Amino acid sequence: MAAPVTISPGLTQWELQAYVEQAAFSSGADKLALALGDGRIALIDIPGGEASFVKVHQGSCLGIAAHPAGGFLSGGDDGLLAYTSLDGTVSEVTRAKGQWLEHMAASRDGRTLAVAAGREVILLNLEVGSLANYGPHAGTVSGLALSPAGGVLAVTHTGGVTLWDLDSQGEPIKLDLRGMNLAPAFSPDGSYLAMGHQENAVHIIDLESRKVFGLAGLPAKPGRLDWSHDGRHLLHTGTKAVICWPVPECFQENPAPVAFSVQEEARMSALAANPRIPFAGAGFSDGTVLLAELKRFAAYPLEIVPGSPVSALCWSAQGLHMACGMEDGRAVLLDLGEMLQAG
């Protein structure tokens, strides 16, 4: 059992002894789950900080998401999609032999979950317990996103993106974009879909006109994208600073982003925007974690000992807690209210 260590007011750390792949909060934000590289899931109570572990996968646990009824769903490189209850009971949901279940996307209300399995996508209606397959796609699925209203599933892959209308039985919309596309992210109002590209670029699609805008010449491949809570700015990883592209101003010629808090020796490796207020968490390859304020474009480093790349970041749906995971097996929980109250 890993004991919690208070770093500073509002900041608590655990030693989980394995690479942290992903993190997710329960629907009520009273439990934090972390997917670990040795196949375990760490379950942490909020508040209290008691941590327990459940061995779920034979290899690595690659993806995790909250179940609306409690507990968590996880995917692994053993092809298993499993449900783990809050008392640690594990049950198999389905199995995709020979596939890595890494990419997962949950709807805002938590009732729908999409899981990539090779060139297919498994879609679960968690409210009624049904399961359906979508695909095959033109290439191996490299990213998933569900629209804010939950009615559209975006699937990125080599050669483009496929948009499935989940309320109809018709053929999907296929948009051709050469090369490998990844990390799709809908804007909060569902008007735009942004995605990264292997050639150090970001594409933004206006979903009404289907016009595609490109942001090229980035310093590295953007492996993770996210939007500010009001949709005014698009952020991405792979940079040596916090980069905010104003939308729709960035669709004009020679667009210029807002850049702040430059890191000399590290690139951003993890990113999560707060869903309620103008803040974002930005994790870097040297272990630095910044709390970025997107109204004044300022950033504040959290008092975390650097040294190991940040591998996972996520906010609770209420925007009050942020979880950080490190490659060296540390996990850190930020209680934003407690930290701000302490000054």
Side-chain angles (χ1 to χ4, degrees), residues 45-58:
D45 291 332
I46 305 171
E50 182 179 345
S52 59
F53 297 91
V54 184
K55 177 69 173 177
V56 180
H57 297 277
Q58 294 305 309

Side-chain angles (χ1 to χ4, degrees), residues 68-256:
F72 294 90
L73 291 150
S74 64
D77 61 7
D78 54 359
L80 173 66
L81 180 65
Y83 170 72
T84 301
S85 66
L86 295 181
D87 66 5
T89 302
V90 179
S91 55
E92 178 176 326
V93 176
T94 189
R95 189 179 289 272
K97 187 177 180 181
Q99 304 296 340
W100 288 29
L101 307 188
E102 176 182 5
H103 302 292
M104 304 173 76
S107 62
R108 185 175 288 177
D109 61 11
R111 296 174 182 172
T112 305
L113 179 72
V115 182
R119 295 173 63 183
E120 301 273 352
V121 175
I122 305 167
L123 192 77
L124 293 89
N125 183 325
L126 299 175
E127 195 171 40
V128 301
S130 65
L131 184 152
N133 283 351
Y134 286 76
H137 298 88
T140 300
V141 176
S142 55
L144 297 170
L146 283 159
S147 63
V152 179
L153 169 66
V155 182
T156 54
H157 44 75
T158 300
V161 58
T162 300
L163 302 174
W164 294 91
D165 183 346
L166 302 182
D167 297 323
S168 84
Q169 302 297 318
E171 290 295 312
I173 297 170
K174 299 178 181 179
L175 300 176
D176 293 332
L177 293 167
R178 296 179 63 182
M180 174 59 76
N181 304 277
L182 66 161
F186 284 97
S187 60
D189 65 357
S191 297
Y192 300 107
L193 176 68
M195 66 197 78
H197 191 272
Q198 65 178 24
E199 295 183 354
N200 300 354
V202 166
H203 291 128
I204 305 174
I205 302 171
D206 182 326
L207 292 173
E208 184 173 354
S209 66
R210 297 184 191 172
K211 187 173 182 181
V212 180
F213 303 91
L215 302 172
L218 305 181
K221 181 176 71 176
R224 167 76 178 168
L225 286 74
D226 211 346
W227 294 79
S228 60
H229 78 296
D230 57 2
R232 280 289 293 126
H233 293 93
L234 176 67
L235 299 87
H236 58 82
T237 60
T239 61
K240 287 189 172 183
V242 179
I243 300 291
C244 298
W245 293 94
V247 178
E249 291 86 344
C250 68
F251 299 157
Q252 300 170 3
E253 279 192 49
N254 303 315

